[in-house]
């Protein structure tokens, strides 16, 4: 991805004239920095924000260093769009899967909507295959990797503000799920957090220590596989107790989460979706931002 663009490059990328683009910059519709010589430069994250907000069509993604997009995806990720994603993931068509997800994002869709919708449902359907399809496990592992590649690509075009609050998270010991915790990190990045994802199989003590070292405002725990209710409850209890000392809020979620883990623990919140995680992050950011 190209970190800084000239007005001419962005103009070409979205198929408008350079003079229009310079005018929008001078009117403050698009934020630019200046080179030592006084030339306008547009950070990639600002270019992406502008494209999303104005529904501009990215006709030349290559100028931004982005791969080919699925321009027909500029509509809502409706049922047929979800089926297309499922098809690409099942067939191992990585560039098409990434292009489709990126196109949805660039057309203004929010990440929680994409992860709670098409990505989750595609992975659910793929996860049903291994019982009766000898290639099911191969397809599931490959599809998981493709989803992760797509999320990492999204992270490279989202800007983290300098004064971002910090978040730390992962999946607990015993849980091999890497996708949901990466989705959480990606959503938090889009919500303006500096998110550190420790990935699957992270011991509760490591999460607590990382939260302390990073001075985290938010800790997330993502549970994909059933690790046993007692183990989960004890782990969350230990974690929430350690977090009280560093003033971090804990949000626990994932398809195998038990809502009872938050009982009697005011610094623990249970969420079921990426939309809930985003809402929680927004609330926390508002509460922690000085007036
Ligand atoms: C991918 C996957 C794996 C991969 C994980 C690899 C990877 N790189 O991530 C691998 C292949 C390793 C795997 C292994 C196993 N798996 Co598995 N796996 C899945 C699968 C297909 C997809 C899960 C996924 O990542 N989905 C995509 C994410 C984005 O969606 P999500 O998990 O639903 O999360 C959403 C919400 O829960 C929420 N959310 C998630 N995290 C968080 C966090 C917060 C804070 C919040 C607020 C919200 C939130 O937002 C997300 C988006 O909407 C599911 C099928 C399914 N129905 O989900 C089975 C599934 C979870 N696996 C299952 C099983 C049985 C296994 C195995 C035991 C199989 C085996 N016999 O070996 C093993 C071992 C698991 C272990 N001990 O850890 C069962 C679980 C049953 C259970 N009761 O736990 C499932 C449901 C499949 C099935 N239908 O039977 N698995």
């Amino acid at each position: 991805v190209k970190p800084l663009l000239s007005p001419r490059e962005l103009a070409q990328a979205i198929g408008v004239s350079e003079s229009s683009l310079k005018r929008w910059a001078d009117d403050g519709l698009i934020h630019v920095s200046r080179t030592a010589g006084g030339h306008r430069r547009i950070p990639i994250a600002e270019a992406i924000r502008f494209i999303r907000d104005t529904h501009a069509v990215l006709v030349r993604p290559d100028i931004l260093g982005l791969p080919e997009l699925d321009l027909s995806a500029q509509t809502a990720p409706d049922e047929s769009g979800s089926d297309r994603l499922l098809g690409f993931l099942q067939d191992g068509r990585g560039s098409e899967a990434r292009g489709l997800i990126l196109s949805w994002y660039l057309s203004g869709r929010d990440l929680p909507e994409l992860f709670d919708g098409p990505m989750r449902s595609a992975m659910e359907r793929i996860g049903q295959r291994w019982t009766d399809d000898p290639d099911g496990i191969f397809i599931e592992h490959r599809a998981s990797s493709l989803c992760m590649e797509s999320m990492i690509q999204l992270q490279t075009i989202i800007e983290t503000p300098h004064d971002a609050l910090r978040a730390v998270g992962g999946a607990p010991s015993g849980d091999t799920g890497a996708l949901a915790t990466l989705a959480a990190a990606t959503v938090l990045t889009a919500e303006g957090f500096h998110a550190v994802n420790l990935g699957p199989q992270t011991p509760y003590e490591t999460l607590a220590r990382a939260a302390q070292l990073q001075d985290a405002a938010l800790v997330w725990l993502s549970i994909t596989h059933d690790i046993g209710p007692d183990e989960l409850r004890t782990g969350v209890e230990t974690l929430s107790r350690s977090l009280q000392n560093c003033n971090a809020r804990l949000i626990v979620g994932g398809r195998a989460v038990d809502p009872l883990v938050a009982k009697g623990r005011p610094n623990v919140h249970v969420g079921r979706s990426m939309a809930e995680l985003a809402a929680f992050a927004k609330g926390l950011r508002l509460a922690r931002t000085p007036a």
Side-chain angles (χ1 to χ4, degrees):
V1 182
K2 212 163 183 278
L4 284 176
L5 303 163
S6 67
R8 184 199 181 97
E9 285 172 318
L10 183 56
Q12 278 177 347
I14 59 175
V16 299
S17 70
E18 189 181 349
S19 57
S20 303
L21 207 106
K22 283 183 173 162
R23 198 174 58 245
W24 296 334
D26 295 342
D27 290 349
L29 297 175
I30 181 155
H31 302 293
V32 296
S33 53
R34 297 266 178 182
T35 62
H39 298 293
R40 300 174 188 85
R41 287 293 174 270
I42 304 147
I44 179 84
E46 173 61 7
I48 301 290
R49 182 208 56 80
F50 182 77
I51 292 167
R52 280 170 50 80
D53 288 358
T54 59
H55 300 289
V57 176
L58 190 53
V59 285
R60 291 277 313 275
D62 55 302
I63 296 179
L64 275 60
L66 291 172
E68 205 171 311
L69 298 172
D70 190 333
L71 290 179
S72 67
Q74 302 253 338
T75 51
D78 55 4
E79 229 165 82
S80 63
S82 294
D83 282 351
R84 278 226 310 287
L85 180 64
L86 173 67
F88 293 152
L89 291 175
Q90 273 182 160
D91 298 345
R93 290 160 67 187
S95 59
E96 282 110 321
R98 286 193 299 275
L100 181 59
I101 293 171
L102 193 58
S103 304
W104 278 330
Y105 180 68
L106 290 175
S107 66
R109 307 277 139 201
D110 286 330
L111 295 182
E113 182 188 345
L114 302 180
F115 297 162
D116 290 335
M119 190 180 283
R120 180 187 195 157
S121 74
M123 287 310 296
E124 249 167 36
R125 302 234 326 249
I126 288 170
Q128 285 159 3
R129 289 183 66 140
W130 61 269
T131 44
D132 52 8
D133 179 350
D135 294 335
I137 297 179
F138 155 59
I139 291 168
E140 181 182 313
H141 280 231
R142 185 177 62 186
S144 299
S145 292
L146 296 182
C147 289
M148 290 195 281
E149 284 165 22
S150 164
M151 292 191 273
I152 288 167
Q153 183 182 58
L154 288 168
Q155 288 193 13
T156 63
I157 57 166
I158 303 171
E159 191 179 31
T160 308
H162 295 301
D163 57 349
L165 291 176
R166 288 172 178 272
V168 178
S173 297
D175 184 2
T176 53
L179 241 93
T181 181
L182 179 58
T186 312
V187 164
L188 290 171
T189 306
E191 285 303 328
F193 278 72
H194 178 86
V196 178
N197 176 26
L198 303 182
Q201 304 267 30
T202 303
Y204 296 98
E205 307 78 54
T206 306
L207 264 178
R209 180 76 185 131
Q212 193 187 22
L213 290 172
Q214 296 277 307
D215 191 21
L218 184 155
V219 175
W220 80 88
L221 192 62
S222 179
I223 299 136
T224 302
H225 296 98
D226 197 349
I227 52 168
D230 290 341
E231 202 183 315
L232 179 63
R233 219 170 298 131
T234 319
V236 169
E237 198 176 310
T238 318
L239 183 56
S240 81
R241 211 173 286 130
S242 327
L243 295 181
Q244 268 164 358
N245 305 328
C246 57
N247 201 24
R249 298 287 305 276
L250 173 62
I251 177 160
V252 190
R255 51 169 311 287
V257 75
D258 172 359
L260 289 178
V261 294
K263 209 173 159 204
R265 315 228 131 255
N267 66 339
V268 183
H269 184 90
V270 174
R272 286 266 166 204
S273 62
M274 290 293 134
E276 282 178 66
L277 175 62
F280 182 80
K282 267 193 190 89
L284 195 63
R285 204 150 56 94
L286 282 176
R288 298 275 170 104
T289 309

